[in-house]
mmCIF file of all heavy atoms in Angstrom:
data_model
loop_
_atom_site.group_PDB
_atom_site.id
_atom_site.type_symbol
_atom_site.label_atom_id
_atom_site.label_comp_id
_atom_site.label_asym_id
_atom_site.label_seq_id
_atom_site.Cartn_x
_atom_site.Cartn_y
_atom_site.Cartn_z
ATOM 1 N N LEU G 28 -3.694 -17.290 -24.636
ATOM 2 C CA LEU G 28 -2.529 -16.742 -23.950
ATOM 3 C C LEU G 28 -1.347 -16.416 -24.860
ATOM 4 O O LEU G 28 -0.481 -15.633 -24.472
ATOM 5 C CB LEU G 28 -2.041 -17.722 -22.869
ATOM 6 C CG LEU G 28 -2.973 -17.950 -21.679
ATOM 7 C CD1 LEU G 28 -2.421 -19.030 -20.779
ATOM 8 C CD2 LEU G 28 -3.173 -16.664 -20.895
ATOM 9 N N ARG G 29 -1.298 -17.007 -26.063
ATOM 10 C CA ARG G 29 -0.070 -16.899 -26.852
ATOM 11 C C ARG G 29 -0.237 -16.224 -28.207
ATOM 12 O O ARG G 29 0.744 -15.956 -28.876
ATOM 13 C CB ARG G 29 0.532 -18.291 -27.073
ATOM 14 C CG ARG G 29 0.949 -18.990 -25.787
ATOM 15 C CD ARG G 29 1.539 -20.362 -26.078
ATOM 16 N NE ARG G 29 2.007 -21.015 -24.868
ATOM 17 C CZ ARG G 29 1.254 -21.766 -24.093
ATOM 18 N NH1 ARG G 29 -0.024 -21.963 -24.414
ATOM 19 N NH2 ARG G 29 1.745 -22.332 -23.009
ATOM 20 N N SER G 30 -1.451 -15.940 -28.639
ATOM 21 C CA SER G 30 -1.657 -15.431 -29.986
ATOM 22 C C SER G 30 -1.225 -13.971 -30.105
ATOM 23 O O SER G 30 -1.443 -13.157 -29.212
ATOM 24 C CB SER G 30 -3.132 -15.549 -30.374
ATOM 25 O OG SER G 30 -3.356 -14.987 -31.645
ATOM 26 N N ASP G 31 -0.589 -13.635 -31.248
ATOM 27 C CA ASP G 31 -0.261 -12.251 -31.549
ATOM 28 C C ASP G 31 -0.787 -11.851 -32.923
ATOM 29 O O ASP G 31 -0.321 -10.906 -33.543
ATOM 30 C CB ASP G 31 1.257 -12.020 -31.496
ATOM 31 C CG ASP G 31 2.008 -12.889 -32.505
ATOM 32 O OD1 ASP G 31 1.359 -13.755 -33.133
ATOM 33 O OD2 ASP G 31 3.222 -12.692 -32.663
ATOM 34 N N LEU G 32 -1.774 -12.587 -33.433
ATOM 35 C CA LEU G 32 -2.340 -12.327 -34.748
ATOM 36 C C LEU G 32 -3.511 -11.364 -34.654
ATOM 37 O O LEU G 32 -4.267 -11.362 -33.691
ATOM 38 C CB LEU G 32 -2.806 -13.639 -35.400
ATOM 39 C CG LEU G 32 -1.746 -14.731 -35.533
ATOM 40 C CD1 LEU G 32 -2.323 -15.922 -36.284
ATOM 41 C CD2 LEU G 32 -0.518 -14.199 -36.264
ATOM 42 N N SER G 33 -3.653 -10.539 -35.679
ATOM 43 C CA SER G 33 -4.731 -9.570 -35.725
ATOM 44 C C SER G 33 -6.082 -10.283 -35.734
ATOM 45 O O SER G 33 -6.311 -11.187 -36.535
ATOM 46 C CB SER G 33 -4.594 -8.703 -36.976
ATOM 47 O OG SER G 33 -5.662 -7.784 -37.072
ATOM 48 N N GLY G 34 -6.973 -9.862 -34.847
ATOM 49 C CA GLY G 34 -8.284 -10.491 -34.748
ATOM 50 C C GLY G 34 -8.308 -11.668 -33.799
ATOM 51 O O GLY G 34 -9.362 -12.114 -33.376
ATOM 52 N N LEU G 35 -7.125 -12.193 -33.462
ATOM 53 C CA LEU G 35 -7.029 -13.320 -32.524
ATOM 54 C C LEU G 35 -6.064 -12.973 -31.398
ATOM 55 O O LEU G 35 -5.306 -13.817 -30.922
ATOM 56 C CB LEU G 35 -6.550 -14.588 -33.248
ATOM 57 C CG LEU G 35 -7.536 -15.247 -34.204
ATOM 58 C CD1 LEU G 35 -6.869 -16.429 -34.906
ATOM 59 C CD2 LEU G 35 -8.777 -15.737 -33.470
ATOM 60 N N GLU G 36 -6.060 -11.690 -30.997
ATOM 61 C CA GLU G 36 -5.130 -11.266 -29.967
ATOM 62 C C GLU G 36 -5.395 -12.014 -28.660
ATOM 63 O O GLU G 36 -6.538 -12.310 -28.319
ATOM 64 C CB GLU G 36 -5.259 -9.759 -29.723
ATOM 65 C CG GLU G 36 -4.801 -8.897 -30.883
ATOM 66 C CD GLU G 36 -5.885 -8.663 -31.903
ATOM 67 O OE1 GLU G 36 -6.983 -9.247 -31.745
ATOM 68 O OE2 GLU G 36 -5.657 -7.909 -32.867
ATOM 69 N N ALA G 37 -4.327 -12.313 -27.963
ATOM 70 C CA ALA G 37 -4.466 -12.996 -26.665
ATOM 71 C C ALA G 37 -5.212 -12.099 -25.687
ATOM 72 O O ALA G 37 -4.949 -10.902 -25.601
ATOM 73 C CB ALA G 37 -3.080 -13.348 -26.121
ATOM 74 N N ASN G 38 -6.178 -12.678 -24.975
ATOM 75 C CA ASN G 38 -6.886 -11.911 -23.946
ATOM 76 C C ASN G 38 -6.396 -12.285 -22.558
ATOM 77 O O ASN G 38 -7.035 -12.012 -21.561
ATOM 78 C CB ASN G 38 -8.396 -12.112 -24.052
ATOM 79 C CG ASN G 38 -8.783 -13.580 -23.975
ATOM 80 O OD1 ASN G 38 -7.922 -14.442 -23.805
ATOM 81 N ND2 ASN G 38 -10.057 -13.870 -24.120
ATOM 82 N N GLY G 39 -5.263 -12.916 -22.499
ATOM 83 C CA GLY G 39 -4.586 -13.223 -21.243
ATOM 84 C C GLY G 39 -3.102 -13.008 -21.418
ATOM 85 O O GLY G 39 -2.618 -12.778 -22.535
ATOM 86 N N ASN G 40 -2.374 -13.049 -20.344
ATOM 87 C CA ASN G 40 -0.927 -12.829 -20.401
ATOM 88 C C ASN G 40 -0.238 -13.962 -19.660
ATOM 89 O O ASN G 40 -0.373 -14.113 -18.443
ATOM 90 C CB ASN G 40 -0.567 -11.471 -19.777
ATOM 91 C CG ASN G 40 0.881 -11.105 -20.025
ATOM 92 O OD1 ASN G 40 1.798 -11.768 -19.550
ATOM 93 N ND2 ASN G 40 1.087 -10.046 -20.788
ATOM 94 N N LEU G 41 0.506 -14.777 -20.420
ATOM 95 C CA LEU G 41 1.167 -15.937 -19.830
ATOM 96 C C LEU G 41 2.223 -15.530 -18.822
ATOM 97 O O LEU G 41 2.391 -16.172 -17.778
ATOM 98 C CB LEU G 41 1.791 -16.786 -20.943
ATOM 99 C CG LEU G 41 2.257 -18.194 -20.559
ATOM 100 C CD1 LEU G 41 1.102 -19.020 -20.035
ATOM 101 C CD2 LEU G 41 2.894 -18.886 -21.761
ATOM 102 N N ASN G 42 2.937 -14.432 -19.097
ATOM 103 C CA ASN G 42 3.966 -13.975 -18.167
ATOM 104 C C ASN G 42 3.366 -13.570 -16.831
ATOM 105 O O ASN G 42 3.963 -13.801 -15.772
ATOM 106 C CB ASN G 42 4.735 -12.796 -18.772
ATOM 107 C CG ASN G 42 5.633 -13.216 -19.916
ATOM 108 O OD1 ASN G 42 6.080 -14.360 -19.962
ATOM 109 N ND2 ASN G 42 5.888 -12.313 -20.845
ATOM 110 N N THR G 43 2.173 -12.957 -16.882
ATOM 111 C CA THR G 43 1.511 -12.570 -15.632
ATOM 112 C C THR G 43 1.178 -13.791 -14.788
ATOM 113 O O THR G 43 1.321 -13.783 -13.561
ATOM 114 C CB THR G 43 0.234 -11.777 -15.939
ATOM 115 O OG1 THR G 43 0.565 -10.615 -16.702
ATOM 116 C CG2 THR G 43 -0.469 -11.355 -14.655
ATOM 117 N N ILE G 44 0.742 -14.856 -15.443
ATOM 118 C CA ILE G 44 0.441 -16.100 -14.728
ATOM 119 C C ILE G 44 1.701 -16.655 -14.076
ATOM 120 O O ILE G 44 1.693 -17.071 -12.914
ATOM 121 C CB ILE G 44 -0.170 -17.134 -15.687
ATOM 122 C CG1 ILE G 44 -1.537 -16.647 -16.184
ATOM 123 C CG2 ILE G 44 -0.319 -18.492 -15.003
ATOM 124 C CD1 ILE G 44 -2.174 -17.547 -17.202
#
Side-chain angles (χ1 to χ4, degrees):
L28 293 174
R29 297 180 177 88
S30 177
D31 60 353
L32 304 184
S33 178
L35 289 176
E36 292 86 356
N38 56 2
N40 190 295
L41 193 60
N42 289 333
T43 301
I44 294 176

